[in-house]
Amino acid sequence: MATPLAASPLVIAIDGPAASGKGTLARRLADYYHLPHLDTGLTYRAVAHMLLTKGWPLGDMPHAVEAANLVDLGRLDRTALSAHAVGEAASKVAVIAEVRRILVDKQRAFAARPSGAVLDGRDIGTVVCPHATVKLYVTASAEVRARRRLAEIEAKDGTGDFATILADIERRDERDMGRADSPLRPAADAHLLDTSEMDIEAAFLAARTIVDDIVATGSEA
């Protein structure tokens, strides 16, 4: 069983586009280093889910802000928030600057735990945790990500169309990378990890090597 590598807080920031594998990688690293994990995308999904449930328009700023203030990081239900419609809505809610401000404050508080933490999302290394110990930008080609998403759907006995999924991913990428507030992009000091030709085990080993090397170097400084 692994133990944390340093006495100081170890904060690992993981960014990347949809279906890049960043969430699975983040959970693996959190488990390995015994750190709490936050999928920050779920916080935006929680806001979107509340708006959809109450029948409020996604662009209704007062209600979106109210929902953001009510988000409890300790009560995020991944199963309920994983629906495709919620994800689509979340991507639209995420462009509201005041919603982002509220949720970023909550995410920063999570990262400020004495032990450190692992956070994954789309603006962790650039906005939420710019001083994170380790920054990773996990990516893969849109085609590979679409195949992964289709495989996930089929593994749950669902059905999907590759072309439709690919178009959806490309649309999400354009929206996330093109938004004015906190666009998806790698931090200047992030380590790029292209998982197009990696399975999760290979990606985990590559990420772990990066983390270990950075912590070891920092410990010697």
Side-chain angles (χ1 to χ4, degrees):
M1 211 55 171
T3 55
L5 296 175
S8 56
L10 173 58
V11 178
I12 302 175
I14 305 178
D15 292 304
S20 60
K22 67 181 181 296
T24 302
L25 181 59
R27 290 189 292 274
R28 287 287 301 272
L29 290 171
D31 182 60
Y32 183 81
Y33 293 112
H34 306 300
L35 295 171
H37 165 246
L38 176 63
D39 174 352
T40 61
L42 291 182
T43 64
Y44 294 96
R45 282 173 174 261
V47 173
H49 185 262
M50 190 176 300
L51 292 173
L52 292 171
T53 300
K54 293 182 178 294
W56 293 336
L58 295 177
D60 184 337
M61 186 181 298
H63 282 123
V65 168
E66 179 184 345
N69 279 313
L70 292 172
V71 169
D72 181 350
L73 300 192
R75 298 173 62 87
L76 298 174
D77 185 342
R78 178 176 293 277
T79 300
L81 299 177
S82 64
H84 177 74
V86 176
E88 275 293 293
S91 190
K92 296 172 183 175
V93 166
V95 303
I96 301 175
E98 183 63 12
V99 168
R100 297 197 68 83
R101 185 193 66 75
I102 294 166
L103 296 182
V104 165
D105 283 347
K106 295 185 180 199
Q107 293 159 14
R108 284 176 175 159
F110 184 94
R113 299 178 180 211
S115 63
V118 178
L119 292 85
D120 72 88
R122 288 172 171 75
D123 62 348
I124 311 305
T126 55
V127 175
V128 180
C129 300
H131 303 296
T133 316
V134 182
K135 298 177 188 177
L136 299 172
Y137 188 85
V138 183
T139 189
S141 71
E143 291 76 11
V144 167
R145 289 184 283 132
R147 284 198 295 271
R148 288 175 180 168
R149 182 58 53 82
L150 178 59
E152 289 175 1
I153 293 170
E154 292 176 341
K156 298 176 181 177
D157 297 324
T159 58
D161 175 69
F162 175 79
T164 301
I165 294 171
L166 176 60
D168 176 55
I169 281 178
E170 291 175 336
R171 209 163 38 242
R172 289 278 300 276
D173 287 352
E174 183 177 359
R175 192 156 58 223
D176 291 339
M177 294 177 183
R179 68 189 179 212
D181 189 3
S182 305
L184 168 64
R185 60 181 175 80
D189 54 348
H191 293 259
L192 181 65
L193 192 60
D194 190 327
T195 66
S196 296
E197 299 184 12
M198 292 182 183
D199 61 16
I200 182 57
E201 193 61 31
F204 168 64
L205 291 175
R208 201 180 80 192
T209 297
I210 293 170
V211 175
D212 290 353
D213 287 349
I214 290 174
V215 173
T217 301
S219 297
E220 293 169 2

